[in-house]
Amino acid sequence: MNGSDADGGNVREGGTRNGGARGESGGSVGTGGAGHAGSPAVGDTVIRPAVDDAAEIPAAADVSLNGADRAERPDRVSSVLVAVGPGPHSGATVDVAREIAAATDAWLELFHVVPSDAALADAGPDADASGTAVDAGDPDATDYAAAGERLLDAAEERLGGFDRADRWLVEDRTAAGAVVEQSAYYDLVVVGAPTTGTVGRFVFGSTTDTVVGDAEVPVVVVEADGSTALDAE
């Protein structure tokens, strides 16, 4: 499956994915440069130093590394999956993921989940099954895919000059399930901190705890210093 064909989902528009599978690396480095000076020697862990450095960015209030012992190759990070959603931590999450990818010469995958038909059918009449922010007064308010693409556009814009990145929109019953399933094909997952309120729960509510507990690779959880919600307009 190689991170490009989740069950029940549709691959994002825009051509071929460049950097999903674990072990792939290449391309030019954008913002942040090709690693940091004094990089660890081969065989030394690179994950925790990269996370510690990324935690210093102004937008982040707290950055935690969970499940570091799950790393198959702690001396290498080739691909990073970042969950993109409308929550208040979403911009900082993208910033931290970008810094980690820049420091480790990794590919970055911007990953957004929209509810499948099954998820919408399961949701009650007053429930919001989506992590995508839509305007209730918009006649296209149920077009979660279009709203998700706008979020991914905003995330790409926030990356600035970092060009070793790709994007992927997928349908699934739960965001947690989609992220956990795809985690096996990456070296690291980055998610936002838990979010309260209806909008954003699909991506950043209990999803965060589930991903931290069930992902097959280390998970970085990002809390913003104030709201850094992506502007999906």
Side-chain angles (χ1 to χ4, degrees):
M1 178 164 50
N2 226 24
S4 61
D5 206 9
D7 291 343
N10 59 304
V11 179
R12 58 124 184 119
E13 297 178 34
T16 305
R17 289 180 65 252
N18 293 324
R22 298 175 70 183
E24 290 186 11
S25 184
S28 60
V29 177
T31 303
H36 292 171
S39 297
V42 174
D44 290 347
T45 181
V46 300
I47 296 176
R48 190 170 294 279
V51 172
D52 288 345
D53 285 349
E56 299 300 317
I57 66 170
D62 185 69
V63 178
S64 63
L65 175 62
N66 304 269
D69 57 343
R70 301 173 193 162
E72 184 176 302
R73 287 285 305 274
D75 61 337
R76 181 187 67 188
V77 177
S78 297
S79 54
V80 178
L81 181 70
V82 53
V84 175
H89 310 298
S90 55
T93 301
V94 172
D95 291 352
V96 167
R98 178 194 62 218
E99 293 303 307
I100 293 172
T104 59
D105 295 336
W107 274 94
L108 185 64
E109 184 88 73
L110 301 171
F111 186 75
H112 181 68
V113 184
V114 295
S116 63
D117 290 343
L120 293 171
D122 288 345
D126 298 322
D128 179 7
S130 175
T132 300
V134 292
D135 184 349
D138 187 338
D140 298 321
T142 57
D143 191 351
Y144 295 113
E149 292 289 1
R150 291 194 294 271
L151 271 173
L152 289 171
D153 287 343
E156 280 191 326
E157 183 175 353
R158 189 159 182 121
L159 287 176
F162 187 87
D163 61 359
R164 202 171 51 256
D166 204 355
R167 57 191 280 171
W168 187 16
L169 180 76
V170 63
E171 289 182 357
D172 211 313
R173 183 180 289 272
T174 68
V179 174
V180 168
E181 179 181 8
Q182 293 306 315
S183 68
Y185 303 101
Y186 298 84
D187 296 311
L188 194 68
V189 172
V190 183
V191 296
T195 297
T196 58
T198 301
V199 176
R201 282 181 187 163
F202 185 75
V203 172
F204 291 120
S206 60
T207 295
T208 302
D209 292 337
T210 300
V211 171
V212 167
D214 296 346
E216 297 192 28
V217 296
V219 178
V220 176
V221 178
V222 181
E223 181 178 351
D225 183 9
S227 177
T228 64
L230 294 169
D231 182 3
E233 296 299 325

